[in-house]
Amino acid sequence: MGLTSPYWTMSADELAKELGSQTSGLTSSAAEERLATYGDNSVRATQEAGPVRLLLRQYESPLVLILLFGAGVSFALKDWTDAIIIMLIIAGSTALGFSQEYRASQAVRRLRARLALKVRALRDGQVITIDASKLVPGDVILLSAGNLVPADGIILDARDFLVTEAALTGESFPIEKAPGLADANAPLAKRRNAVFLGTSVRSGTATVLIARTGEMTELAAIAKDITTTDQETDFERGVRRFGYLLTRIMMAIVLFVFTVNMMLHRPLIDSMLFAVALAVGLTPELLPAIVSVTLSAGAKRMARRGVLVRRLTAIENLGAIDVLCTDKTGTLTKGVVELDGALDPTGETSAEVMRLAAINARLETGIENPLD
């Protein structure tokens, strides 16, 4: 549903008309039709890896591929004991990594289900509670202190309505919102008549007309900009390079041994089998298993401290950090302003100043500064 102008530049009546809605909300049938058109009100920042993809990812390591090659050679030479041992090592290593990452993915999925938002919306002229994922453009919702904003929209009515937008703007102070108009080129922080998905209501109440949901929201646009496919970690890169180095060394040794045997007029088949068997013997069969066991142990220790590890190899990257840079207050700190004291004009502590400030704060409403 395309709009002729940015929704934050339009009055409530104009926006409702373009959305085919009204300030009293949608009917249930109209909402269902729009839900079928626009889809659920959700932001899918990344494509979650399914069980098959998680399992196949365990075999992307060159070390595991080398072991698979070694197992194949052992089978070809009918060395069943070595072949079975190598396959058991591969199975144990990959199963350990897969189980850890799969459990982490399931835990994240369960957390998301538990945190599913509910919202009060006007449907058929009545206030009902629905899943936030079922919101559509044109819906009218009611927000109050403590609510998370479920979609983008404009303020129809508000009273002492303050919203924390740190997730979008980085500003830790709440912003007072009220009905009105904003400039078409106004940045997010200046759109005082609009609310956005991903923000939270600090105080007050408001009635909001939803203009954008799901992938059309500002949060979704930011997510698309910062989201990429899973990047290779430094640890994975190091293992991959080590695997390639090991492969080159093995190939060089195989060629050298095979060439020497041929120069000594040894039988061709025996020389080839001996060279390949030597390459298999150089393979560090236990290395992938050791890596998986060690990283899994680290993941379990972190889990006991409340940290959920989705990819085992990310642990090594975390441990390799020397300097962590973050933006500002509110990211790692509490993001809460606290009163340390009240001073008079001479810089001395004053109980009278504290008393007057308390009276002033008590009688004021809708102040942007949470300290007031």
Side-chain angles (χ1 to χ4, degrees):
M1 184 177 295
L3 299 175
T4 57
S5 303
Y7 65 88
W8 57 90
T9 66
M10 306 170 67
S11 68
D13 291 336
E14 291 173 338
L15 181 58
K17 182 178 180 180
E18 289 215 22
L19 291 173
S21 179
Q22 50 190 350
T23 55
S24 59
L26 297 170
T27 63
S28 297
S29 58
E32 290 178 2
E33 291 177 2
R34 297 186 183 203
L35 186 63
T37 301
Y38 296 104
D40 286 350
N41 174 37
S42 60
V43 177
R44 297 175 180 84
T46 57
Q47 183 69 33
E48 292 188 0
V52 176
R53 178 69 185 91
L54 286 177
L55 181 60
L56 292 178
R57 192 159 69 187
Q58 311 306 316
Y59 292 90
E60 293 177 353
S61 170
L63 292 178
V64 175
L65 296 178
I66 290 174
L67 289 181
L68 287 174
F69 172 76
V73 172
S74 297
F75 276 119
L77 296 176
K78 297 183 179 181
D79 188 349
W80 310 118
T81 301
D82 285 352
I84 293 174
I85 290 175
I86 294 175
M87 292 302 297
L88 288 176
I89 292 173
I90 294 173
S93 175
T94 55
L96 189 60
F98 169 77
S99 62
Q100 174 63 36
E101 295 189 15
Y102 182 73
R103 285 199 304 267
S105 297
Q106 292 296 102
V108 171
R109 190 174 292 109
R110 287 193 296 270
L111 283 174
R112 287 176 178 170
R114 290 179 60 186
L115 294 175
L117 294 179
K118 300 287 186 179
V119 62
R120 291 185 299 153
L122 290 174
R123 294 276 177 90
D124 300 316
Q126 296 182 342
V127 178
I128 63 173
T129 300
I130 61 174
D131 289 337
S133 61
K134 304 306 178 184
L135 284 178
V136 294
D139 261 324
V140 175
I141 63 172
L142 305 178
L143 297 176
S144 58
N147 290 161
L148 296 178
V149 179
D152 294 0
I154 64 169
I155 306 294
L156 299 180
D157 180 63
R159 180 178 180 182
D160 301 337
F161 191 61
L162 276 71
V163 178
T164 299
E165 298 183 331
L168 296 181
T169 65
E171 176 55 62
S172 57
F173 287 109
I175 305 298
E176 185 172 11
K177 300 285 187 175
L181 302 177
D183 186 75
N185 297 319
L188 288 179
K190 298 298 183 182
R191 301 175 195 172
R192 299 298 182 92
N193 66 328
V195 293
F196 310 101
L197 172 64
T199 61
S200 59
V201 181
R202 177 64 68 87
S203 66
T205 59
T207 305
V208 174
L209 174 61
I210 299 301
R212 293 177 180 173
T213 60
E215 299 297 329
M216 299 184 293
T217 61
E218 298 291 343
L219 182 66
I222 294 174
K224 289 177 182 177
D225 287 340
I226 64 175
T227 300
T228 58
T229 56
D230 288 340
Q231 298 295 315
E232 185 180 44
T233 65
D234 289 338
F235 179 74
E236 289 174 316
R237 189 176 301 111
V239 171
R240 176 172 55 80
R241 290 175 177 174
F242 174 71
Y244 291 158
L245 174 63
L246 193 62
T247 301
R248 289 195 293 268
I249 293 175
M250 289 170 55
M251 291 179 63
I253 292 177
V254 168
L255 291 175
F256 174 76
V257 171
F258 180 73
T259 301
V260 170
N261 279 325
M262 293 304 297
M263 292 176 63
L264 295 175
H265 305 291
R266 301 283 175 81
L268 176 62
I269 300 300
D270 291 345
S271 299
M272 184 178 297
L273 292 179
F274 176 76
V276 173
L278 181 61
V280 173
L282 293 173
T283 304
E285 287 88 354
L286 288 177
L287 184 56
I290 292 172
V291 170
S292 296
V293 170
T294 303
L295 293 180
S296 182
K300 291 179 180 178
R301 291 183 61 184
M302 295 182 71
R304 287 196 292 268
R305 299 193 176 196
V307 180
L308 187 62
V309 179
R310 295 190 64 184
R311 291 184 64 188
L312 288 179
T313 52
I315 296 178
E316 181 64 25
N317 264 21
L318 179 64
I321 292 177
D322 294 318
V323 178
L324 175 64
C325 299
T326 186
D327 56 356
K328 56 180 291 187
T329 300
T331 303
L332 293 180
T333 58
K334 291 189 294 185
V336 176
V337 178
E338 296 180 352
L339 179 64
D340 183 66
L343 308 179
D344 62 19
T346 64
E348 299 295 327
T349 301
S350 171
E352 179 64 13
V353 172
M354 176 70 81
R355 187 180 71 85
L356 294 174
I359 293 174
N360 178 71
R362 176 66 176 172
L363 297 177
E364 290 196 68
T365 60
I367 303 299
E368 294 183 17
N369 191 329
L371 185 62
D372 294 334

